[in-house]
Amino acid sequence: MTERRPKLVALGLVLVCVLAVLWAARASRQDRVHRETLYVFGTLVEVEIRGEDTDRAQAATAAVGRLLQSLHEDWHAWRPGLLGDLNTAIAEGRGLTVDDRLAGVLRDGRRLSCESGGLFDPAIGGLIGLWGFHADTPPTGAPPSADRVAALVAARPRMTDLRIDGARISSTNPAVQLDLGGFAKGAALDLAAAELQAMGIENAVLNAGGDVNVLGTHGDRPWRVAIRDPFVWGAVAAIALRPGEVLYTSGNYERYFEHEGERFAHIIDPRTGYPVREIVSVSVLDTNGARADAAATALSVAGTQGWAEVAVAMGVQGVLMITDSGALLATPQMMQRLEPVGDAFPAPVEVVPLPAGVPAPSCGE
Ligand code: ADP
Ligand code: MG
């Protein structure tokens, strides 16, 4: 018995050393960070992958870059490509067979548009073009004439005019012109996040100018992201994102133009054909990028009245709205998650509960 004790002690020491080495290896693996900024999708997309070998992280980032670039080419609203061909076909009263990826995003867009009560409607590409937002740089010059705006509104282009049969797309209304700008980033980052997961990447963030999808965690803490202040350089708040969450912001502070002292935003109200005014920024916290992105656009259109009903109809709960007078409105689900950056929020946050009993819209296939 007394002879066995030193052996046991030695064995115990070896075990402790092995565990320490394993723990250190795991810790250093978790510390491994691969960060790259890609210029794809007409914007800068920051990809950060943690806890992977450099080779694997590099290969995964390259795959994401290729995917986003091909989506950009296929889904572009005004350069030649698959969506452009589809728009030409629709205007000529023809159908077109696209690929499953575009058909899928159009099906999602049609459902989200229906749920938003038509406030989010990617079929209003004609109006968006008329206002001059079909260009890489914001428009200059005068806004379009009231007659031209009214004529396009009267033609009532709607996503619900689309007929989607497998990958065969047609429209019952030739005025439909598709512009996926209101949710393409969300749909694309969802596909990119799925691609990373399929490649076995567990911890990553995809950040396209503040629109973010996350996988897993940032080492032993959550991924933390900021919501930009639309009025001054800085952040309104920060949020610690849980694995699989997304945060999307629609803002009227980046793409807009000014004419004779008046500011015209790039989000158009499909009911009037005119840019939205009241809301300067909407952030949506969710688990689906396409839905969050579409909802942020829809709630910008909804304005301070009725936005909470639209959020419920679209199935989103975490919402922060910033009005043109700087007021902050948040759902309780968002309020719980907002952290001030610095001492306090830039203004008191008014908490607006989501209404109960909003009938579920019937927006099936
Ligand atoms: P951001 O570019 O700030 O993320 P959005 O996600 O709201 O903002 O996208 C704005 C883009 O969506 C516009 O440039 C235009 O292409 C498109 N768009 C504008 N108004 C609407 C609308 N009512 N419904 C759907 N898409 C829209
Ligand atoms: Mg959007």
Side-chain angles (χ1 to χ4, degrees):
M1 192 68 186
T2 41
E3 269 177 21
R4 287 187 63 192
R5 191 161 283 158
K7 270 193 194 159
L8 273 180
V9 170
L11 207 66
L13 276 176
V14 169
L15 202 66
V16 167
C17 289
V18 168
L19 285 177
V21 168
L22 285 179
W23 183 83
R26 188 174 164 269
S28 85
R29 215 174 105 85
Q30 277 194 345
D31 285 349
R32 247 174 249 167
V33 182
H34 181 79
R35 215 178 274 132
E36 254 181 82
T37 303
L38 310 169
Y39 183 71
V40 282
F41 223 73
T43 182
L44 295 174
V45 179
E46 204 194 305
V47 183
E48 186 174 326
I49 295 175
R50 296 187 69 96
E52 296 295 339
D53 294 338
T54 308
D55 287 356
R56 268 170 61 81
Q58 259 170 358
T61 309
V64 163
R66 283 192 300 274
L67 170 67
L68 292 179
Q69 199 51 38
S70 84
L71 295 177
H72 186 52
E73 282 155 22
D74 286 352
W75 296 358
H76 206 288
W78 66 87
R79 292 208 201 116
L82 189 56
L83 189 70
D85 293 346
L86 177 57
N87 278 332
T88 305
I90 289 173
E92 292 172 356
R94 293 185 284 118
L96 188 75
T97 301
V98 297
D99 61 9
D100 289 344
R101 217 166 52 179
L102 179 55
V105 86
L106 291 174
R107 217 173 266 124
D108 289 346
R110 186 176 60 177
R111 192 194 65 250
L112 290 163
S113 177
C114 168
E115 288 170 357
S116 77
L119 302 187
F120 163 77
D121 200 328
I124 61 163
L127 278 168
I128 297 163
L130 184 64
W131 279 94
F133 289 110
H134 280 174
D136 291 330
T137 50
T140 52
S145 76
D147 287 353
R148 295 186 70 194
V149 174
L152 276 179
V153 172
R156 300 178 63 79
R158 299 282 180 269
M159 278 308 267
T160 45
D161 297 331
L162 281 188
R163 295 292 163 264
I164 306 175
D165 182 9
R168 179 87 187 158
I169 316 292
S170 59
S171 168
T172 54
N173 181 351
V176 165
Q177 287 291 286
L178 298 163
D179 176 322
L180 309 182
F183 81 135
K185 226 192 260 176
L189 291 195
D190 286 346
L191 290 175
E195 171 119 356
L196 285 179
Q197 272 181 314
M199 293 181 83
I201 305 295
E202 289 173 4
N203 303 294
V205 61
L206 296 163
N207 180 350
D211 289 335
V212 180
N213 281 43
V214 305
L215 295 178
T217 58
H218 177 283
D220 53 10
R221 61 180 175 83
W223 293 103
R224 201 159 178 271
V225 295
I227 296 176
R228 200 193 298 169
D229 190 322
F231 300 108
V232 294
W233 186 252
V236 181
I239 299 186
L241 293 181
R242 296 174 186 150
E245 283 189 332
V246 304
L247 181 72
Y248 279 74
T249 299
S250 270
N252 282 329
Y253 45 90
E254 244 171 14
R255 270 173 75 77
Y256 62 87
F257 74 101
E258 263 167 359
H259 182 71
E260 293 176 352
E262 205 174 346
R263 193 182 260 216
F264 297 95
H266 71 145
I267 299 174
I268 312 283
D269 185 336
R271 299 166 298 189
T272 62
Y274 280 81
V276 305
R277 288 169 184 277
E278 208 181 359
I279 302 296
V280 288
S281 165
V282 179
S283 299
V284 175
L285 175 64
D286 195 52
T287 52
N288 181 279
R291 181 169 58 197
D293 199 355
T297 305
L299 301 182
S300 301
V301 177
T304 53
Q305 303 301 315
W307 63 270
E309 281 76 9
V310 179
V312 173
M314 295 187 81
V316 298
Q317 301 193 326
V319 180
L320 174 71
M321 314 267 289
I322 307 182
T323 72
D324 53 359
S325 59
L328 305 180
L329 313 171
T331 58
Q333 292 84 347
M334 181 61 118
M335 190 65 206
Q336 268 178 5
R337 307 286 300 279
L338 291 178
E339 302 165 19
V341 177
D343 297 339
F345 298 119
V349 185
E350 184 190 333
V351 178
V352 180
L354 288 172
V358 177
S362 93
C363 298
E365 280 297 287

